[in-house]
Every structure is written in C-alpha cells, then in structure tokens.
Amino acid sequence: MVKKIDHLGIAVHSIDQARDFYEKVLGLVCEKIEVVESQQVKTAFFAIGDTHIELLEPLSETSPIAKFLQKKGEGIHHVGYLTDDIEGCLTKARLAGVSLIHEEPVEGSGNKQIAFLHPKSTGGVLTEFCADPED
Ligand code: ZN
C-alpha cells in the first residue's frame, strides 16, 4: 500500500539558516521552496536519490510546526510515505484503530494529497501519507 519513503520532514525555526547544512555540508540541491497555507508552513525540498528532505518553517504561532518547535525543538518532525491509494491507506489505518489527524486527504505542497496519522497511534512517529496529484 505504501511504496517508499517520499520524504522526511524536519522542523526548523528558519529555512534560511538551516539550508546551509543541507547545501554546503551535504551538497544537496534545493528543488523548491513553497508556502502551504493550509498547514501555515513554508517548506523547502532537497532531493536525495529518489526521496527528499523537507524542511518545515512555521508561518505563524498557530502553525502545527510552531507548536512542535515549542514542545520539542528542531528535529525530525514526520515521515512521509508515498502511496497511490491514500483513501485506502486511511481506511486501513482507521480500521486498525489508528487515530487520524486528517479523516480525509488535504492539499499539501506540490499539490500532493496528504493526510497525517496521530503519533500517539504510531509509536511516537508523526506519519504522513502522500499521493501525487495525477494518481
Ligand atoms: Zn511532509
């Protein structure tokens, strides 16, 4: 049902400050920077092989990323799994008793459909399903 790790989400206070490590030390290339209004975040995607690192910077105090930074500080925020059947993945998770943050997919960066599972149900790891828009 899930095909691969699409990206790792990493919460940062400032993409401008954090990107140096990924560009200058790891030698990765920033493919795009995008604002996702629905999540109140700015994202920066760095390609590595056929997966990505997604830096997440909060746009406001009400952003889920702002709350994460207040509680835990900077660090790994979520794992994003690619699927071509996001509804099926959500149904399977729901039937397994997993708490869903999104009952239905919402629009994420790159017009992908995304949905999050609650970390209390997934061993402490915020888990995201994502599907390409053409799927
Ligand atoms: Zn993500």
Side-chain angles (χ1 to χ4, degrees):
M1 294 259 280
V2 292
K3 299 199 283 193
K4 65 165 195 172
I5 293 180
D6 184 76
H7 60 275
L8 287 180
I10 297 176
V12 300
H13 290 293
S14 161
I15 284 173
D16 282 345
Q17 286 174 22
R19 65 187 296 170
D20 266 11
F21 171 74
Y22 296 93
E23 292 177 325
K24 294 183 180 161
V25 180
L26 298 186
L28 303 182
V29 173
C30 182
E31 286 192 329
K32 63 174 178 178
I33 291 185
E34 187 178 344
V35 166
V36 183
E37 291 289 346
S38 66
Q39 302 293 308
Q40 280 294 291
V41 292
K42 183 159 102 175
T43 65
F45 278 86
F46 296 83
I48 175 164
D50 67 349
T51 188
H52 294 83
I53 298 291
E54 175 187 26
L55 300 185
L56 301 147
E57 175 188 320
L59 288 178
S60 71
E61 287 302 304
T62 58
S63 166
I65 300 302
K67 288 169 189 159
F68 179 90
L69 287 169
Q70 280 161 21
K71 262 166 89 174
K72 300 191 174 176
E74 293 185 312
I76 292 182
H77 177 260
H78 68 271
V79 178
Y81 294 93
L82 184 70
T83 176
D84 53 15
D85 180 13
I86 195 164
E87 302 276 1
C89 284
L90 286 174
T91 298
K92 195 170 181 181
R94 191 184 293 114
L95 291 174
V98 172
S99 297
L100 310 184
I101 292 175
H102 297 115
E103 292 290 332
E104 299 292 337
V106 297
E107 190 164 302
S109 66
N111 297 319
K112 285 189 177 194
Q113 294 289 300
I114 65 168
F116 281 95
L117 309 181
H118 200 287
K120 76 182 179 196
S121 298
T122 58
V125 180
L126 179 59
T127 298
E128 173 187 354
F129 292 135
C130 62
D132 291 323
E134 60 267 26
D135 282 335

